[in-house]
Amino acid sequence: MEQSTVLKRGAASAAILVVVAAGWKVVSFFRALLREVYERKQVSRLEDVISLEQLDILARASNVNLRRSAEQLLLERVMRNTGSLRQLLRWCLCGDEEEVMKAATVLCVLVKSVDLRNHPWERPFLWTLGQMLVNSFNQTRAYTKQAKDRTITDQIRKLTTCALFEIVCDSSPKKEILCRDFPEILSCILELALSTSCKEASRYGLFLTHQMAIHDVLRDQLVEAGGIKKVAQTLIQNQGDPMLQRLSLQIVVLFAAILDIDSKVTLRTVAKEKTITPIVVCLKSDDTECVYWAVVLVHEFAINDVCKDEICEVYGLLRSLAQCLAASESSQQRLVLRVICFLGLKNDGFKSEVLHCTDLITRLPVCYASGDGDVVHWSLVLTHDLAMAGRCATQKLLECCPQIFPGLISVTGHEDRAVRRLLAETIGFFCCDEHNLLKIVDSGVLKTVLQYAVSGDVELVFWAGAMLLNLAMTSDDIKLEILKAGGLSVIMELAIGEHDNPQISPMAAKALAMLGFTDKPLVVSTACDSDNARVKINEKIYHLNKPGLNILIWNTLTSDSASQLHYQVKNVWDFKDLNIKLPSKPADEGNLVIVVIRGKHAQAYLKALKDLMLFSEISAGNKQGRFELQGDEMCVIISTLLASGLVSVSHMAKDTTINMDFEFPYNDVVNHRVAEIVVVPVIKVLFSTPPESPISKVTELELLEVLCRHEVHKDTILNCDGFIDYLRSIILQFSTKLEQEEEYPPIYIAHCLGALRILSVLSVHGNCQQQLLEQGVLVHVVNLLFYLTGLWINTVLDTALQQEASQVDPLAMGDSTSIKPLVEELDSLAGEPQLEPEQVELTSITLSDGRQYDIQSGTIRRTRLISSIAEDSNTPGAAESRHQWGSASDHVGDIAVSGQQVSSTPVRPTSMSSTQLKVHEYNEMFSSLARFAVITVSNCTNATVTIPDLVQSQQSSLAQCGALHVMWSTLLCAGAILKNSIALPVSSTIAKLSCANKSSSFADTVVLSAKDSDKTPALHLSADCLEVRNDSWTFESARATHWIDTSHVIEDGPQGWYYEASLKSGSIMQIGWANADCKFEPEKGLGVGDNKNSCAFDGGRCKIWNGPVTEQVNNEYGVEWHDGDIVSSLLHKSGSVSFWLNGTDMGTAFTALPLSQCWSPALSLSTDQQVRFNFGATPFRYPLPTGFVPVDALAAVDKKTQPVIGTEPLPAVRDYLQNLDEKNLHPQPSLYFETTLTSSTPRPFTLGLQTLANQRGKAQEVCCTVHDNVLELPTGMRLQIYPTDVSHLTVGCGLLLPPGAVFFTVHGRPINFLFAFPSEELGQEPLVPSISSCKAEVNFGETYFYYGIANERENRLSMAALLHDYTEQRSLETRTVNEIT
């Protein structure tokens, strides 16, 4: 209890103490407050005691503080005097201008000296000042007594605007009140800003204008008051005053930002006041804010595309912008960079000036390293736009700033995706400069490319793949750098990986193929002694210094060490426990294994490796003592790791000190890794699904198509059992699907196209051609063409039937572009067939119904096929007369042909009538499939094997399997685009299969050489070897057969040699001259002009070439060429070369070709390019220069002139030609082709039609023969050729069905005779053209015929249908695989 009582008493005492302390604080606070109030009262009484006179004295005191205090007392006393203030405001608005000025002075002092915020007098002061300013601009109404001194008005305006500025500054409500009370005040302010009588008034007027402009609502009112024009004028007026110019610039920028007004209109209004130069000059100002707003305004002009040319023309613009870029912060740097970028748009002249502004260019690497993302972005945009101008621009950038490319590389890891993509494009432009490419690669570009290749960004991955392909196609040095950087592994991943962009894998595959052609070695250097052991591979050093057994496994994919192994034992008996194991994973196969054995027990270590080493015959050396070491000898073994975990030894060295360099062929390393990691696995994946499976095989087929262009990979592919059969099955299955299903799945089209593309590449190689024939692949390809052509004809006829349903007589329309009846035929000829060719005068023919067909008058009612089909569809026998279609499998070697003769009317197939295809849908499919099918067949026709009998056997087999008919039909069906791509291979194939003299030589004329040493394999040559085309993705080349030996030119000899090239395309081609030492490497992209042994002009890039690409400097030349142009090449006997384009001399391209060597015309073509040469056998398009001779003159000594036949006068051929007038109706041919004979064509030359040789005996033919001056008809009748026609004669041959007779034309005019076969049955059988030599230009429909009626669309379709019928009517013997092999 006592303790509790004590505690209670203590708590009470503490509470009392707290209360006392709080009371004491309250008392103290009140005492201090009373003391402060008392002191204030004393001061106030003291202030009131001081009189105005005393304050006046104090205000003039010398003591500054005393004077200021007196002024403050005076102002406070005035502000407390309400009466005085009211009187002051009355004086401000009185009618006496002088009094107003005095009152304005006082009011201005009060406003500037007293804080009027929330003051009761603020609003009256504002209203009074506004009224005073308005009155000053309307003095006659405002003042009854005006001052004599005119400066008083300016003084009033100055004071008034100064006071107004103090009140409204940064106060939107006060601005709104002022403009609401005085709507006209904005005009007054703008007028005052332009005042020249009082600078201070103008200054404050501009201050007020700026205050109004930063207000969103009042800004619009300022514009309505003419503010744009007037503020622009202040820019001119205030030059030299940075502060006022800064305000004017900012106001204009604010005006341009008004949303309701077009910025372009505002800027044009400003520019009309001639402000461009003053604005640009402001960039040089010492006032940083003035510079900033000048940059902003120039930026507005640039981004709005207003007066950009005027801005660019201002002297010193770039220098000023460079200074701004160097001396400013990131916000201004961003604007400067944007200004330069927008000024350079569509202004190459300005870009050129930028490139020459070193101060600006050298600043770019600093901008790349900026912490501001926008600065980095726009510096990249500027570099991108400059580099986009081409090689000269990139060279200039690197010359001005060598650090620019390392700076670009530093941006590689930027977090902004747009920046990375922009960087990628920019690097791509720099890499187009072949001259500096090695320097660029040394700068680290491969690191960026390889990093982006695995970035996961589809666009960056695509760019990286394209870059790697371009780099791999340049030079072996670049290829080596790619391999050193570990690019092989990355490219393989791109090739076999899955990508959203389907182009990535093929590009990567092409890059792999290019890397496989490198000639640079993989060098392994070793330096070993008793203390150290170093291995150097690709400039990287690996230390193997530990005593004992050291094993370095070097990854050939990543070009880095995969692992280092070390084994060491202390005693000899420990070797039995030494378990040496090497990696045996599939991915490790092909890695290098370098073994270094040093120190104690070296002999034992070497023997321990015995079971792991395999020695080839080359590396075997001396087998005895192979595993013996003497004394202090060490051993170095260089080998390759096998899949089994063993190593294939390439080199072994033993000595006390070993210093050696061993070279692996890097192409072998690359090709081995590609074959094992890409080719073989891809084939296994392909084989994992049946050919008919709808699972996509597109990527695998595309990869194999690219890689099989390489000899190593081609052999790997062909060595895979069943690969060719697999491709054949794909083609067969596609044909089956097309027949059996109404809608064809797109995946089957893609698979078939992929198979055809692979076959088109394989068929280039001579050792593959016979294999394709033996395995029946070409039969499938021919039948695919057969099916496609028939389907196309079916589609056209379906369309024609629909038109027939709505048109009474399509022929009456006279529309040559409409689909008309396919055939208008003659039913029969009167009389019995003769055993010998019968000559019938082609004037009138008796038809089967007894009516006479008069050729001369052309009077007969035309029979329309489509109408007859519709009319006869229900009559007996109609079904038998139609084209019968079997299954797709029936077309492969075992077609059963009925005993019927070939239908005289090729009608549409009926079994596929349910397949309704849109023409445009089919055309796309037809074009791709038909193109590569044609290329495959054509390659096999142009066999490169050296055994003539085998060549003839191949061509005969192709002819018997129907290749000629179906390819001819395909050509006639093709549209313009497809025809351009297949015309040359088709015509070449037909001509070679039709030529009687299979081994005809071109020794007596200059043509393009077909030898393997003179022509790369993927080129297609025309039959006359004057036209060439490239359908491969590699850079294919060829040269002519004859050489110009300039070292033996005599004084009176020719001054030079001339030839012409007619372009059938207009992209990258190199046309010029080459000597015998010029080696073509199409896979490396090396052709004519890419070495010192050749020279060329490339009109696609407007450049000339005469050496390695990396050595070409300032090689711009000529003008761009286009499809249809004529390029002339002239080689002067002095060694100079020049080129003409369409007869216009483009100047001397080369001046010093080595005259000690022989030169020949040559060319190189990129993909889808085509050229026809004229070496002088036909008249040139343009006259030769004086003293020059055609290149064909080199072969003039070999030419033999045929003697003139007979001496008796002969009837002229022109007497037997029909006149080409509108009243004559000429025979509409069922087949037709033309041959153009020149002075170089060997005579006699025969042409006509013949039957195919079969089991019944030898082929029968109806041909005419052309001698030098005589045309001999099949009956032996000879007609005199007009002298002018001897050197350029076009003879045509046509077939009429019925009666199966042949007619001939000369220059498109038919001879008035028909020539029948020995029997009528022969005329109804499948016929093929017959020509005696390939040395003539034969037209099977790739260009317009001289015989105009054969060009009509319905006639071309009629011929295509008949050829299609011929293909189907082949006999069983000629369609069997055994016959083909």
Side-chain angles (χ1 to χ4, degrees):
M1 287 291 292
E2 293 180 357
Q3 186 176 3
S4 173
T5 304
V6 171
L7 291 174
K8 289 181 180 179
R9 289 177 180 175
S13 301
I16 293 171
L17 290 175
V18 170
V19 171
V20 171
W24 176 254
K25 286 186 177 180
V26 171
V27 171
S28 300
F29 173 76
F30 279 106
R31 290 182 62 183
L33 181 62
L34 291 174
R35 188 180 303 108
E36 183 178 355
V37 171
Y38 176 78
E39 291 176 354
R40 284 183 179 178
K41 287 184 177 180
Q42 294 297 324
V43 172
S44 178
R45 291 195 188 101
L46 180 62
E47 292 175 353
D48 293 339
V49 171
I50 300 175
S51 63
L52 292 176
E53 291 78 8
Q54 292 172 331
L55 287 175
D56 180 59
I57 295 172
L58 292 174
R60 291 194 292 270
S62 58
N63 189 300
V64 176
N65 293 329
L66 184 61
R67 187 169 64 248
R68 289 179 177 175
S69 299
E71 291 173 352
Q72 187 63 33
L73 284 174
L74 181 61
L75 290 172
E76 291 180 0
R77 187 173 297 182
V78 171
M79 292 301 296
R80 290 199 301 268
N81 192 336
T82 305
S84 299
L85 292 177
R86 288 196 180 96
Q87 185 61 37
L88 176 63
L89 297 182
R90 292 192 191 98
W91 285 340
C92 289
L93 301 177
C94 69
D96 190 336
E97 189 176 9
E98 292 185 356
E99 293 299 322
V100 169
M101 198 254 319
K102 296 176 182 178
T105 303
V106 176
L107 186 57
C108 182
V109 172
L110 290 175
V111 169
K112 295 180 66 175
S113 303
V114 178
D115 185 5
L116 291 177
R117 286 176 296 181
N118 301 320
H119 197 279
W121 285 96
E122 182 182 28
R123 178 68 182 276
F125 281 5
L126 181 63
W127 189 91
T128 301
L129 290 168
Q131 188 64 55
M132 289 172 64
L133 184 59
V134 172
N135 290 344
S136 69
F137 283 91
N138 193 357
Q139 301 178 19
T140 57
R141 183 173 60 84
Y143 302 135
T144 57
K145 183 179 180 181
Q146 297 184 7
K148 296 180 181 180
D149 187 357
R150 303 311 301 169
T151 61
I152 290 180
T153 302
D154 293 332
Q155 293 295 324
I156 293 174
R157 293 174 179 173
K158 179 189 73 173
L159 295 171
T160 305
T161 51
C162 177
L164 280 174
F165 176 76
E166 293 291 336
I167 294 175
V168 304
C169 183
D170 298 329
S171 177
S172 296
K174 296 172 187 174
K175 298 175 189 176
E176 294 171 359
I177 292 171
L178 179 63
C179 293
R180 185 182 66 238
D181 294 343
F182 304 99
E184 67 275 26
I185 199 167
L186 292 178
S187 299
C188 297
I189 293 172
L190 290 171
E191 190 67 30
L192 188 61
L194 283 172
S195 173
T196 57
S197 57
C198 180
K199 186 67 175 177
E200 290 298 320
S202 175
R203 179 185 295 269
Y204 280 107
L206 191 58
F207 289 170
L208 274 179
T209 303
H210 176 263
Q211 286 296 314
M212 300 302 177
I214 62 178
H215 192 286
D216 294 337
V217 177
L218 300 181
R219 190 186 310 143
D220 296 338
Q221 297 178 15
L222 270 177
V223 172
E224 293 174 0
I228 297 176
K229 180 177 180 180
K230 292 179 180 179
V231 173
Q233 292 173 353
T234 63
L235 275 172
I236 309 295
Q237 175 181 301
N238 296 319
Q239 293 185 70
D241 190 329
M243 183 180 67
L244 296 185
Q245 282 193 311
R246 179 181 68 206
L247 291 176
S248 299
L249 293 167
Q250 187 176 0
I251 295 169
V252 172
V253 172
L254 292 171
F255 285 160
I258 298 177
L259 297 178
D260 297 335
I261 302 177
D262 189 357
S263 299
K264 294 184 178 180
V265 175
T266 300
L267 295 172
R268 289 192 185 100
T269 304
V270 173
K272 285 181 180 178
E273 302 302 319
K274 300 181 180 180
T275 56
I276 297 298
T277 300
I279 292 172
V280 175
V281 171
C282 289
L283 297 173
K284 302 177 182 179
S285 174
D286 294 334
D287 188 317
T288 56
E289 290 191 29
C290 181
V291 173
Y292 174 79
W293 287 107
V295 171
V296 173
L297 186 52
V298 174
H299 173 265
E300 290 296 320
F301 276 102
I303 65 173
N304 286 284
D305 197 16
V306 176
C307 301
K308 292 200 308 185
D309 292 338
E310 290 87 338
I311 294 174
C312 294
E313 291 173 358
V314 177
Y315 178 76
L317 169 67
L318 285 176
R319 191 182 307 112
S320 301
L321 290 174
Q323 293 174 355
C324 295
L325 188 64
S328 58
E329 297 181 353
S330 60
S331 58
Q332 185 169 318
Q333 288 177 337
R334 180 191 320 137
L335 291 174
V336 172
L337 291 168
R338 283 172 58 93
V339 165
I340 300 172
C341 290
F342 281 101
L343 289 178
L345 286 178
K346 299 180 181 179
N347 191 338
D348 294 337
F350 181 76
K351 288 182 181 178
S352 179
E353 293 180 9
V354 174
L355 287 170
H356 288 82
C357 183
T358 306
D359 294 341
L360 182 60
I361 300 301
T362 53
R363 190 67 186 173
L364 288 176
V366 179
C367 296
Y368 302 150
S370 173
D372 189 303
D374 286 340
V375 174
V376 176
H377 174 82
W378 285 104
S379 60
L380 277 177
V381 171
L382 176 57
T383 310
H384 172 277
D385 292 350
L386 294 175
M388 191 166 51
R391 190 181 71 175
C392 293
T394 55
Q395 287 181 347
K396 188 63 180 178
L397 285 170
L398 293 173
E399 289 175 5
C400 291
C401 181
Q403 296 302 314
I404 196 167
F405 211 85
L408 287 172
I409 301 302
S410 67
V411 189
T412 299
H414 200 279
E415 60 184 9
D416 190 345
R417 185 180 181 185
V419 170
R420 295 197 302 270
R421 292 184 177 181
L422 193 61
L423 172 65
E425 288 189 20
T426 306
I427 291 175
F429 292 135
F430 277 93
C431 290
C432 291
D433 179 11
E434 302 91 347
H435 184 65
N436 291 313
L437 189 54
L438 194 55
K439 295 180 182 178
I440 293 172
V441 170
D442 291 339
S443 300
V445 68
L446 284 175
K447 177 183 177 182
T448 301
V449 175
L450 296 177
Q451 181 175 333
Y452 285 172
V454 296
S455 64
D457 186 317
V458 178
E459 292 189 13
L460 285 179
V461 173
F462 174 78
W463 170 84
M467 277 295 302
L468 288 169
L469 175 58
N470 289 337
L471 291 171
M473 293 181 69
T474 51
S475 67
D476 286 342
D477 292 328
I478 302 299
K479 292 186 182 75
L480 184 59
E481 293 299 324
I482 294 175
L483 294 171
K484 286 181 178 180
L488 184 60
S489 174
V490 175
I491 299 173
M492 283 185 178
E493 289 296 327
L494 291 179
I496 62 179
E498 296 184 359
H499 309 284
D500 293 335
N501 190 330
Q503 295 180 341
I504 294 175
S505 292
M507 284 195 306
K510 290 179 182 178
L512 289 177
M514 293 295 105
L515 292 177
F517 288 101
T518 180
D519 292 330
K520 293 289 183 178
L522 171 60
V523 180
V524 178
S525 302
T526 59
C528 303
D529 54 30
S530 58
D531 298 324
N532 298 291
R534 296 184 303 276
V535 177
K536 182 179 180 182
I537 309 176
N538 280 349
E539 309 302 326
K540 295 180 181 178
I541 297 177
Y542 305 93
H543 295 277
L544 306 176
N545 295 328
K546 297 179 181 178
L549 175 62
N550 294 273
I551 301 176
L552 169 66
I553 301 176
W554 193 79
N555 194 323
T556 53
L557 295 179
T558 60
S559 293
D560 202 354
S561 171
S563 60
Q564 292 189 32
L565 307 177
H566 178 248
Y567 298 90
Q568 186 176 14
V569 295
K570 295 182 179 179
N571 302 301
V572 177
W573 51 82
D574 292 336
F575 275 95
K576 63 180 180 179
D577 299 325
L578 186 63
N579 185 16
I580 302 175
K581 239 177 140 180
L582 298 178
S584 58
K585 296 179 181 178
D588 296 321
E589 182 184 2
N591 288 337
L592 297 186
V593 178
I594 294 91
V595 179
V596 177
I597 303 175
R598 301 169 54 249
K600 190 177 180 182
H601 307 308
Q603 175 78 50
Y605 288 118
L606 183 56
K607 290 186 176 181
L609 289 171
K610 182 178 181 180
D611 295 336
L612 294 178
M613 294 189 294
L614 298 177
F615 292 83
S616 63
E617 293 182 2
I618 298 176
S619 61
N622 184 11
K623 294 183 180 180
Q624 302 211 358
R626 180 185 294 167
F627 298 99
E628 300 292 334
L629 291 177
Q630 303 296 328
D632 295 333
E633 284 187 341
M634 59 187 68
C635 181
V636 174
I637 303 170
I638 300 176
S639 58
T640 305
L641 185 62
L642 304 178
S644 59
L646 304 180
V647 294
S648 175
V649 177
S650 300
H651 186 73
M652 176 187 285
K654 296 181 288 185
D655 206 335
T656 55
T657 301
I658 301 176
N659 291 292
M660 70 172 183
D661 293 334
F662 183 80
E663 296 183 352
F664 280 94
Y666 224 144
N667 54 356
D668 290 347
V669 175
V670 172
N671 292 327
H672 177 75
R673 299 310 303 265
V674 172
E676 296 300 324
I677 297 177
V678 179
V679 178
V680 174
V682 166
I683 294 177
K684 290 180 180 178
V685 172
L686 193 66
F687 283 0
S688 66
T689 58
E692 66 276 9
S693 171
I695 298 175
S696 177
K697 314 173 185 62
V698 175
T699 301
E700 291 80 7
L701 292 171
E702 287 181 344
L703 287 175
L704 294 176
E705 178 220 342
V706 173
L707 293 174
C708 71
R709 188 68 173 86
H710 196 289
E711 190 75 21
V712 173
H713 305 318
K714 180 205 70 176
D715 292 340
T716 302
I717 292 171
L718 292 178
N719 289 334
C720 292
D721 293 337
F723 182 79
I724 298 297
D725 288 336
Y726 191 91
L727 298 182
R728 181 180 60 182
S729 299
I730 290 177
I731 297 172
L732 175 60
Q733 291 299 327
F734 174 68
S735 299
T736 305
K737 289 290 182 183
L738 274 179
E739 179 188 22
Q740 295 177 353
E741 298 183 8
E742 293 187 358
E743 294 185 0
Y744 51 89
I747 192 64
Y748 290 105
I749 300 175
H751 290 168
C752 185
L753 180 59
L756 286 172
R757 294 175 73 103
I758 294 176
L759 291 174
S760 69
V761 177
L762 293 177
S763 60
V764 168
H765 303 278
N767 58 345
C768 297
Q769 294 166 354
Q770 189 67 16
Q771 184 178 352
L772 297 180
L773 278 167
E774 290 173 353
Q775 297 188 16
V777 176
L778 289 184
V779 176
H780 291 269
V781 176
V782 168
N783 280 282
L784 177 64
L785 275 176
F786 167 79
Y787 187 86
L788 292 172
T789 308
L791 191 57
W792 189 85
I793 295 172
N794 187 40
T795 304
V796 172
L797 285 172
D798 284 342
T799 307
L801 283 174
Q802 296 173 7
Q803 293 187 356
E804 281 292 313
S806 59
Q807 296 181 7
V808 179
D809 188 358
L811 289 177
M813 298 293 291
D815 182 6
S816 60
T817 62
S818 64
I819 299 180
K820 299 178 181 179
L822 292 182
V823 175
E824 297 171 9
E825 56 177 344
L826 306 176
D827 294 330
S828 65
L829 281 175
E832 296 294 327
Q834 304 294 318
L835 295 179
E836 296 296 329
E838 179 188 12
Q839 176 175 301
V840 183
E841 186 172 358
L842 194 59
T843 56
S844 65
I845 301 173
T846 302
L847 302 180
S848 59
D849 58 2
R851 293 177 290 113
Q852 292 291 319
Y853 180 82
D854 191 281
I855 294 291
Q856 299 298 329
S857 63
T859 56
I860 189 173
R861 185 178 68 83
R862 303 184 181 184
T863 303
R864 293 180 297 159
L865 169 66
I866 297 175
S867 297
S868 66
I869 293 173
E871 293 167 1
D872 298 339
S873 60
N874 297 320
T875 59
E880 288 78 8
S881 65
R882 296 185 181 180
H883 197 137
Q884 300 296 320
W885 283 51
S887 67
S889 60
D890 292 336
H891 292 271
V892 188
D894 54 355
I895 287 184
V897 182
S898 65
Q900 300 176 356
Q901 294 180 354
V902 179
S903 173
S904 61
T905 303
V907 297
R908 69 184 181 92
T910 57
S911 62
M912 287 300 293
S913 59
S914 61
T915 305
Q916 302 296 331
L917 298 176
K918 298 290 185 182
V919 174
H920 68 275
E921 292 176 352
Y922 178 70
N923 281 344
E924 183 177 355
M925 176 187 69
F926 178 84
S927 297
S928 301
L929 295 175
R931 178 186 177 188
F932 288 99
V934 164
I935 291 173
T936 302
V937 177
S938 177
N939 286 339
C940 290
T941 308
N942 299 310
T944 57
V945 292
T946 57
I947 305 175
D949 293 340
L950 188 56
V951 174
Q952 187 169 352
S953 173
Q954 290 184 10
Q955 294 182 356
S956 176
S957 299
L958 286 169
Q960 293 296 332
C961 75
L964 186 152
H965 292 136
V966 77
M967 291 184 72
W968 194 356
S969 178
T970 304
L971 177 63
L972 293 172
C973 290
I977 297 177
L978 176 60
K979 185 171 71 173
N980 288 339
S981 62
I982 68 172
L984 190 147
V986 167
S987 61
S988 174
T989 299
I990 298 174
K992 291 185 176 181
L993 295 180
S994 305
C995 182
N997 184 8
K998 303 293 185 183
S999 59
S1000 57
S1001 172
F1002 289 91
D1004 57 346
T1005 186
V1006 177
V1007 294
L1008 293 174
S1009 176
K1011 295 180 180 179
D1012 292 341
S1013 59
D1014 295 327
K1015 181 185 79 71
T1016 53
L1019 276 182
H1020 290 287
L1021 276 180
S1022 61
D1024 61 358
C1025 293
L1026 289 175
E1027 191 165 344
V1028 63
R1029 177 179 175 83
N1030 179 26
D1031 288 298
S1032 174
W1033 57 270
T1034 48
F1035 200 47
E1036 304 294 325
S1037 305
R1039 59 176 152 236
T1041 53
H1042 289 66
W1043 303 89
I1044 298 174
D1045 188 358
T1046 55
S1047 63
H1048 295 89
V1049 175
I1050 60 176
E1051 284 291 331
D1052 298 333
Q1055 297 298 307
W1057 295 265
Y1058 175 97
Y1059 71 87
E1060 289 181 348
S1062 177
L1063 306 185
K1064 302 295 184 69
S1065 56
S1067 188
I1068 296 176
M1069 297 176 278
Q1070 294 175 195
I1071 299 175
W1073 305 82
N1075 60 37
D1077 294 330
C1078 178
K1079 304 301 180 184
F1080 303 135
E1081 298 178 274
E1083 296 82 5
K1084 294 183 178 182
L1086 301 180
V1088 180
D1090 294 327
N1091 53 53
K1092 294 296 184 181
N1093 297 306
S1094 58
C1095 63
F1097 166 55
D1098 178 4
R1101 294 174 285 186
C1102 296
K1103 295 180 182 295
I1104 51 176
W1105 308 95
N1106 181 220
V1109 175
T1110 54
E1111 298 178 8
Q1112 304 299 302
V1113 181
N1114 300 325
N1115 61 334
E1116 286 76 15
Y1117 174 85
V1119 295
E1120 185 178 4
W1121 58 31
H1122 301 88
D1123 184 4
D1125 288 345
I1126 303 295
V1127 178
S1128 306
S1129 183
L1130 299 87
L1131 172 60
H1132 195 272
K1133 67 177 184 180
S1134 63
S1136 64
V1137 176
S1138 61
F1139 295 92
W1140 295 356
L1141 186 64
N1142 296 325
T1144 301
D1145 189 354
M1146 294 185 290
T1148 300
F1150 308 99
T1151 57
L1153 292 188
L1155 300 180
S1156 58
Q1157 294 177 311
C1158 298
W1159 296 87
S1160 177
L1163 86 160
S1164 296
L1165 304 178
S1166 61
T1167 307
D1168 293 335
Q1169 302 307 299
Q1170 186 170 336
V1171 179
R1172 182 167 184 83
F1173 284 88
N1174 181 4
F1175 297 114
T1178 59
F1180 288 119
R1181 182 73 63 87
Y1182 301 101
L1184 278 69
T1186 303
F1188 277 72
V1189 297
V1191 170
D1192 197 58
L1194 297 170
V1197 295
D1198 299 325
K1199 295 183 180 179
K1200 298 179 181 179
T1201 304
Q1202 296 295 329
V1204 177
I1205 297 180
T1207 58
E1208 71 282 1
L1210 298 175
V1213 69
R1214 294 189 175 187
D1215 297 337
Y1216 290 86
L1217 300 179
Q1218 296 184 40
N1219 295 324
L1220 296 178
D1221 56 62
E1222 297 180 357
K1223 296 181 180 180
N1224 288 338
L1225 181 65
H1226 301 289
Q1228 298 188 21
S1230 300
L1231 282 182
Y1232 186 77
F1233 69 96
E1234 288 179 345
T1235 302
T1236 300
L1237 309 179
T1238 65
S1239 57
S1240 63
T1241 305
R1243 312 294 175 91
F1245 182 89
T1246 62
L1247 78 155
L1249 292 171
Q1250 68 176 9
T1251 62
L1252 286 171
N1254 51 36
Q1255 67 274 18
R1256 291 181 295 180
K1258 186 178 179 182
Q1260 300 294 321
E1261 64 180 12
V1262 175
C1263 297
C1264 70
T1265 304
V1266 181
H1267 303 273
D1268 272 356
N1269 59 344
V1270 171
L1271 173 63
E1272 185 176 355
L1273 299 176
T1275 57
M1277 181 179 180
R1278 294 181 295 166
L1279 302 177
Q1280 186 72 43
I1281 299 175
Y1282 199 70
T1284 57
D1285 294 333
V1286 173
S1287 61
H1288 190 84
L1289 180 68
T1290 299
V1291 181
C1293 178
L1295 172 68
L1296 288 179
L1297 280 178
V1302 179
F1303 69 95
F1304 297 96
T1305 65
V1306 175
H1307 291 309
R1309 297 171 61 185
I1311 301 174
N1312 290 331
F1313 300 105
L1314 283 178
F1315 304 95
F1317 281 89
S1319 68
E1320 186 176 356
E1321 290 183 357
L1322 292 177
Q1324 304 290 340
E1325 288 184 359
L1327 303 177
V1328 295
S1330 175
I1331 58 176
S1332 61
S1333 173
C1334 291
K1335 295 184 182 180
E1337 181 181 356
V1338 187
N1339 179 12
F1340 293 100
E1342 61 268 28
T1343 59
Y1344 283 106
F1345 294 115
Y1346 279 80
Y1347 187 49
I1349 196 170
N1351 295 318
E1352 295 180 4
R1353 187 179 182 189
E1354 60 269 23
N1355 286 326
R1356 292 176 67 91
L1357 293 177
S1358 172
M1359 291 189 283
L1362 178 61
L1363 290 165
H1364 192 269
D1365 281 346
Y1366 280 170
T1367 307
E1368 189 184 21
Q1369 295 297 328
R1370 289 169 295 166
S1371 64
L1372 179 62
E1373 293 85 355
T1374 59
R1375 294 294 309 276
T1376 57
V1377 176
N1378 291 332
E1379 175 76 9
I1380 293 172
T1381 57

